[in-house]
């Protein structure tokens, strides 16, 4: 067919709809893999149910104790581990320390109902990326998990202010260790055996700790140290 000079070219055949491919969609990022560790089943279950509503977060494992949390972290290799501070077997800070050593790609955060200045300082020294109270809302928790996964930090402002005003613990590492061993009322001989020290050395450490804390005995020293989060 001859086209007329100056006229539009004849249209070609229409494309076959069956052969037309839809535009490629951008790949969706993988969800943030989360480990939840809390010895209170009700709280852990509530957090898991609420986080399940977030499209970009995936709870891959739950744990009810410190050793179980570490085992779940090793097995599932989460992106973020949300750890209760006080758990049977090992507290959240000890678990975070182990995770930091064994699984450096996993970031950790502490959620607690017993936040004390000393706890916060221990957590930050262990590489914990966030420290928040259990009164946080599910929406806030989800946002903090995203913040931690992105490599940033979050510390509850009230806890941070308390930590600044409280100052550092006056106890040495050995005094702290012996005071922790004395917390359950164990006799001197048992503390000495567990700490691999002589009974006389244990008495000296307990006396020194009590003096530094202004306590009349080791039981009061334990209470005062706990209130400040130093043990």
């Amino acid at each position: 067919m001859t086209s007329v000079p100056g006229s539009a070219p004849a249209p070609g055949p229409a494309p076959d709809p069956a052969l037309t491919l839809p535009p490629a969609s951008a790949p969706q990022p993988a969800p943030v893999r989360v480990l939840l560790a809390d010895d209170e089943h009700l709280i852990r279950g509530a957090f898991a149910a609420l986080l399940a509503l977030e499209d970009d977060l995936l709870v891959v494992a739950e744990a009810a104790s410190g050793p179980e949390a570490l085992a779940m972290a090793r097995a599932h290799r989460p992106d973020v581990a949300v750890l209760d501070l006080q758990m049977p077997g090992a507290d959240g800070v000890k678990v975070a320390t182990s995770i930091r050593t064994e699984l450096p790609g996993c970031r950790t955060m502490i959620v607690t109902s017993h936040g004390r200045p000393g706890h916060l300082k221990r957590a930050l020294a262990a590489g914990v990326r966030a420290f928040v109270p259990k009164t946080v809302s599910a929406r806030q928790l989800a946002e903090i998990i995203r913040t931690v996964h992105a490599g940033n930090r979050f510390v509850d402002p009230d806890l941070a202010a308390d930590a600044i005003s409280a100052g550092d613990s006056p106890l040495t590492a050995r005094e702290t260790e012996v005071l922790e061993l004395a917390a359950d009322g164990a006799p001197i001989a048992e503390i000495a055996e567990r700490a691999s020290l002589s009974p006389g050395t244990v008495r000296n450490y307990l006396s020194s700790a009590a003096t530094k804390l202004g306590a009349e005995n080791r039981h009061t020293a334990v209470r005062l140290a706990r209130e400040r989060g130093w043990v």
Side-chain angles (χ1 to χ4, degrees):
M1 176 178 178
T2 304
S3 60
V4 179
S7 64
D16 186 344
L19 300 178
T20 304
L21 298 176
S25 58
Q28 295 298 314
V32 178
R33 295 165 52 81
V34 179
L35 162 65
L36 289 178
D38 194 308
D39 62 328
E40 297 183 70
H41 178 75
L42 183 61
I43 292 178
R44 189 178 73 248
F47 277 151
L50 292 169
L51 292 179
L53 301 176
E54 304 290 334
D55 293 338
D56 60 334
L57 303 178
L58 176 64
V59 177
V60 296
E62 298 181 36
S65 69
E68 185 182 7
L70 186 55
M72 291 294 101
R74 290 167 177 155
H76 296 273
R77 309 186 77 84
D79 299 310
V80 178
V82 181
L83 308 170
D84 184 19
L85 177 63
Q86 296 183 334
M87 294 186 290
D91 67 19
V93 175
K94 291 180 180 178
V95 175
T97 300
S98 297
I99 288 177
R100 183 184 186 185
T101 301
E102 298 185 34
L103 304 167
C106 175
R107 295 185 169 95
T108 57
M109 56 183 285
I110 296 289
V111 181
T112 179
S113 57
H114 305 284
R116 298 289 188 272
H119 296 151
L120 172 58
K121 291 181 179 181
R122 283 179 57 227
L124 295 179
V128 171
R129 307 295 298 184
F131 197 96
V132 296
K134 285 186 180 179
T135 53
V136 68
S137 70
R139 182 178 297 276
Q140 288 174 312
L141 180 62
E143 285 300 324
I144 294 168
I145 290 173
R146 296 182 184 105
T147 296
V148 167
H149 182 248
N152 300 313
R153 292 184 183 275
F154 179 89
V155 176
D156 179 77
D158 291 336
L159 293 177
D162 289 344
I164 292 172
S165 62
D168 295 326
S169 171
L171 304 175
T172 66
R174 266 304 202 180
E175 289 166 351
T176 301
E177 177 190 6
V178 171
L179 209 56
E180 287 178 338
L181 293 174
D184 58 359
I188 295 294
E190 181 180 334
I191 297 172
E193 182 178 355
R194 292 165 64 186
S196 299
L197 297 170
S198 70
T201 301
V202 168
R203 290 190 184 92
N204 289 338
Y205 279 130
L206 290 174
S207 176
S208 176
T211 299
K212 290 179 178 180
L213 296 174
E216 64 271 18
N217 54 51
R218 61 170 169 152
H219 305 293
T220 304
V222 168
R223 177 178 59 79
L224 292 173
R226 277 181 166 172
E227 288 176 356
R228 294 165 173 80
W230 293 334
V231 297

